[in-house]
Amino acid sequence: MRITMFSSKPYDRLFFAPAAAPNEILYLEPHLTEKTVDLAAGSEVVCCFVNDVLNAPVLNRLKELGVQLVAMRCAGYNNVDLAAAKQLGLPVCRVPEYSPYAVAEHSVGIILALNRNIHRAHNRIRENDYSLNGLMGFDLHGKTVGVIGAGKIGRAFINIMLGFGCKVLVHDVNADPALVGRVQYATLEELWPVCDIISLHCPLTPATHHLINAEAIEKMKRGVMLINTSRGGLVDTPAVIRGLKSGQVGYLGLDVYEEEADLFFEDLSNQVVQDDVFARLTTFPNVIVTGHQAFFTREALAKIAEVTLANINAFAAGSAADMTLVE
Ligand code: NAI
């Protein structure tokens, strides 16, 4: 199959190229958008990532160009208009699980860094400043952690936090029998006021859009730590900024941001940031932002390439049953 890979980076090529045959991959840097869609001409497959735009006009044009399969090389698919894809008869596959540990461990990394001010301590030492004022943290042991979405990543995260001796409250639309007795299930109304840390691991859907908004923040414990490594749209960022300014939100850790498509994955160090909301976020001492890197481990990239190519090969062989299709 001829594959056009949008939003590709050198590390994608590193993992896809050795296993690509008999497929041919055209590695392109631009995101897939209405402006770039014609670059897929001549390909049977487009391989896309989190910030590619797969709305109805783009999918329509892909279909006109003869594209037969959308192969997402990520877990989330909130950027795909599934109804439009279905109507066009354009199958969409994804990588449902590549390394839940990668994302869970990164979330914990942000928690530890925020709590113990590791980012600030690192800078101080480099300035020959060994003072501890302002670096005080808290024991994670005995704290209450709220987990919203206890799927593959949420469960891996829960296991680590239980290891720290935290009490874990879970809110999920589906209860997992394996977690019963280890965590406490809760409604959001029960979860907001009692958690010291709240970590988001649910998908972005209309039901979860801006789940963390002004009303929810108001109900949280003062000084709460919010962690979002799932999707930017789960958080109403201006509302969280107001919470940070008032002290209602004590710490914020983000690996994703609602408007990240214009920022993340690129070196913009010679440019002026145009997004004032994002720029404000980076001024707080108690905020850590990473640029959608939670997935970025060797193991995860190897699995992403393996599953994406297996999906494409299964499609070429006509065996839909062997594909991880988005239904
Ligand atoms: P999963 O499908 O295994 O788990 C999602 C969980 O959320 C399920 O248990 C589901 O029942 C629950 N859920 C669905 N709607 C909900 C709602 N309204 N309220 C509460 N819970 C709800 O997905 P997985 O693999 O754990 O991934 C979770 C999310 O993490 C993905 O949707 C994706 O957005 C994000 N992600 C972020 C990455 C990063 O690099 N930052 C990498 C991979 C995934």
Side-chain angles (χ1 to χ4, degrees):
M1 298 243 126
R2 278 164 302 176
I3 305 164
T4 299
M5 183 183 288
F6 286 92
S7 307
S8 84
K9 296 288 177 200
Y11 45 81
D12 291 310
R13 191 187 288 248
L14 199 65
F15 286 88
F16 274 84
N23 306 289
E24 269 174 49
I25 306 182
L26 177 64
Y27 298 92
L28 298 181
E29 278 199 28
H31 291 325
L32 173 60
T33 64
E34 284 169 54
K35 284 189 185 144
T36 62
V37 62
D38 281 5
L39 294 169
S43 287
E44 288 96 28
V45 182
V46 288
C47 182
C48 302
F49 197 50
V50 292
N51 291 322
D52 288 316
V53 177
L54 291 129
N55 58 16
V58 168
L59 291 167
N60 264 309
R61 184 66 188 141
L62 287 174
K63 183 78 182 178
E64 282 170 12
L65 292 169
V67 169
Q68 298 162 28
L69 173 68
V70 173
M72 301 300 293
R73 56 181 193 285
C74 52
Y77 49 89
N78 52 283
N79 50 335
V80 186
D81 184 336
L82 286 181
K86 195 168 181 184
Q87 207 171 15
L88 289 163
L90 204 50
V92 179
C93 59
R94 65 174 180 133
V95 187
E97 176 178 345
Y98 40 88
S99 171
Y101 312 107
V103 184
E105 289 169 12
H106 190 78
S107 310
V108 176
I110 296 178
I111 291 174
L112 291 171
L114 274 175
N115 173 21
R116 305 306 294 269
N117 284 292
I118 293 171
H119 53 306
R120 298 176 63 208
H122 176 71
N123 287 336
R124 279 194 196 181
I125 298 296
R126 293 164 80 94
E127 290 290 327
N128 231 11
D129 174 358
Y130 306 96
S131 67
L132 299 183
N133 292 329
L135 300 185
M136 195 187 303
F138 57 84
D139 284 8
L140 284 171
H141 183 93
K143 295 295 182 295
T144 301
V145 179
V147 177
I148 302 181
K152 293 175 283 294
I153 294 170
R155 281 195 300 271
F157 176 78
I158 288 168
N159 285 334
I160 302 172
M161 298 319 286
L162 288 174
F164 278 125
C166 295
K167 175 180 174 183
V168 176
L169 254 60
V170 171
H171 176 74
D172 196 307
V173 286
N174 302 304
D176 176 355
L179 287 176
V180 174
R182 305 180 65 220
V183 304
Q184 193 181 316
Y185 275 93
T187 62
L188 289 175
E189 295 304 310
E190 290 165 341
L191 188 146
W192 298 138
V194 294
C195 290
D196 302 289
I197 299 171
I198 296 173
S199 195
L200 308 179
H201 300 289
C202 58
L204 175 61
T205 66
T208 60
H209 180 253
H210 286 186
L211 183 81
I212 303 295
N213 55 24
E215 201 187 331
I217 291 168
E218 201 50 47
K219 292 175 183 160
M220 292 174 195
K221 207 177 201 179
R222 189 165 173 82
V224 65
M225 182 187 290
L226 295 178
I227 304 294
N228 184 14
T229 60
S230 191
R231 284 293 179 267
L234 298 175
V235 171
D236 177 352
T237 313
V240 178
I241 288 176
R242 288 196 295 278
L244 283 160
K245 286 168 79 176
S246 73
Q248 175 66 6
V249 176
Y251 311 80
L252 176 68
L254 299 179
D255 185 53
V256 286
Y257 170 62
E258 195 163 14
E259 306 301 331
E260 70 178 50
D262 293 334
L263 294 167
F264 288 3
F265 306 114
E266 305 304 330
D267 178 0
L268 306 177
S269 52
N270 285 323
Q271 295 182 28
V272 171
V273 178
Q274 298 299 323
D275 182 332
D276 291 349
V277 175
F278 186 79
R280 182 69 178 97
L281 271 185
T282 61
T283 65
F284 292 97
N286 50 350
V287 172
I288 290 182
V289 183
T290 53
H292 209 135
Q293 72 170 81
F295 75 101
F296 200 54
T297 65
R298 276 194 294 278
E299 291 79 1
L301 287 174
K303 190 79 189 283
I304 286 171
E306 179 195 320
V307 174
T308 306
L309 289 167
N311 271 329
I312 293 167
N313 292 337
F315 179 76
S319 44
D322 295 324
M323 298 172 68
T324 47
L325 287 164
V326 181
E327 303 298 347

